[in-house]
Amino acid sequence: MRAPHCSHIDVFSRFNPNNERKTYYVLLLTAVTMVIEIIAGSVYGSMALLADGWHMGTHAAAFCITLFTYRYARQHKDSRKYSYGTGKVSVLGGYSSAVGLGLVAIVMLFESLYRFIDPVQIHFTEAMIVASIGLLVNVVSVFLLHDHDHDHDHDHHSHHDHNLNAAYMHVLADALTSILAIAALLIGKFLGWVWLDPVMGMVGAVVITRWAIRLMKQTAPVLLDESIDRHYAAQVLQKLEALDADVTDMHIWRVSADHFAASICLNVRDMQSPGFFKRQLAEFGKIHHLTIEVNHI
């Protein structure tokens, strides 16, 4: 059976090829550094360095998710399979990366506890050199992934790329673990506090867990069709009531990170059309797709 024809299709998807390209470069940098740090951490006995290496490995996987979601969203942006486009694909990628970030923190915590109980010999100088290289890569990656367009448009209802934000959080987490590793190795070398190396691993795990939770809180509401804030909905309701319309049902929910759709049912006494009410609600710019049902009583 032939699919029904529709003259107007809303696609709430945004694509930034520049963000996708920057993520690819960061993936290459991260993968190379990951291999170097894991080998060096194992050879030189540094838990902080080893944790940083494995941490980079999970971030490399997260960047693969980021690139996959960019490509998938772009390839399916015109597909009739998705009612409101692929706007939530990047949000899903961000949420998945946040889950991965949390799992990394848990592994880091348990590995650090094990090293705290059963310490190993650490080659401080060699481990610090490799950790410094890792930090340098992190700094370069931070500048690559920094969303200048987002900052520029922040005061003009900027568009949120949760996918890029997740990648950025992963890079920041990498930078943190590199800094903690270097600090632990320096203090351990000159003061003999070998126990500080696994302690820094624990501290990093706690901080990364907080970042993961923060990213989940940003993305989960979008995936769960979060309603628009109550104040905004109340303004819409007030506008309709001022037009002598009885609102019997109203839903305003997210269809992407930056777009809201609304479905409103009205009982009216005059013969106003749905188009009349759509024009009256045009001032509510957050609503990008509006469906109105009018029942005349």
Side-chain angles (χ1 to χ4, degrees), residues 129-188:
I129 292 173
V130 178
S132 299
I133 294 173
L135 179 59
L136 178 62
V137 170
N138 296 148
V139 172
V140 172
S141 299
V142 165
F143 279 102
L144 278 173
L145 291 180
H146 187 59
D147 195 349
H148 296 286
D149 295 332
H150 175 85
D151 289 344
H152 178 72
D153 297 330
H154 183 71
D155 297 326
H156 299 86
H157 304 291
S158 61
H159 307 300
H160 298 87
D161 189 340
H162 288 290
N163 213 20
L164 185 70
N165 186 38
Y168 186 67
M169 294 292 285
H170 277 271
V171 167
L172 285 179
D174 267 335
L176 172 69
T177 51
S178 293
I179 292 170
L180 292 177
I182 293 171
L185 291 167
L186 276 171
I187 296 173

Side-chain angles (χ1 to χ4, degrees), residues 79-271:
S79 173
R80 297 287 185 103
K81 185 177 181 180
Y82 302 101
S83 298
Y84 293 102
T86 54
K88 288 187 177 181
V89 173
S90 71
V91 183
L92 180 59
Y95 183 84
S96 301
S97 294
V99 173
L101 200 60
L103 292 175
V104 169
I106 293 173
V107 172
M108 282 178 61
L109 179 62
F110 279 99
E111 185 65 22
S112 297
L113 286 171
Y114 175 76
R115 288 294 181 94
F116 187 79
I117 297 171
D118 186 18
V120 298
Q121 182 182 1
I122 301 175
H123 300 268
F124 294 103
T125 303
E126 296 87 344
M128 277 190 290
I129 292 173
V130 178
S132 299
I133 294 173
L135 179 59
L136 178 62
V137 170
N138 296 148
V139 172
V140 172
S141 299
V142 165
F143 279 102
L144 278 173
L145 291 180
H146 187 59
D147 195 349
H148 296 286
D149 295 332
H150 175 85
D151 289 344
H152 178 72
D153 297 330
H154 183 71
D155 297 326
H156 299 86
H157 304 291
S158 61
H159 307 300
H160 298 87
D161 189 340
H162 288 290
N163 213 20
L164 185 70
N165 186 38
Y168 186 67
M169 294 292 285
H170 277 271
V171 167
L172 285 179
D174 267 335
L176 172 69
T177 51
S178 293
I179 292 170
L180 292 177
I182 293 171
L185 291 167
L186 276 171
I187 296 173
K189 178 178 176 64
F190 293 106
L191 298 181
W193 296 359
V194 180
W195 52 267
L196 192 60
D197 186 77
V199 168
M200 287 297 191
M202 297 177 202
V203 172
V206 172
V207 175
I208 292 165
T209 299
R210 295 188 62 182
W211 286 351
I213 293 173
R214 175 186 169 189
L215 192 54
M216 288 180 191
K217 286 182 176 180
Q218 290 176 352
T219 53
V222 182
L223 297 174
L224 296 173
D225 299 336
E226 178 188 39
S227 297
I228 205 163
D229 66 87
R230 292 184 180 181
H231 178 69
Y232 200 88
Q235 289 180 319
V236 175
L237 186 61
Q238 184 178 10
K239 178 73 174 182
L240 291 169
E241 290 177 343
L243 297 171
D244 200 27
D246 181 20
V247 180
T248 59
D249 188 53
M250 184 173 76
H251 299 278
I252 307 175
W253 72 99
R254 286 186 181 273
V255 291
S256 79
D258 308 294
H259 301 91
F260 285 89
S263 173
I264 304 174
C265 296
L266 305 173
N267 286 342
V268 298
R269 292 168 182 80
D270 297 325
M271 295 303 294

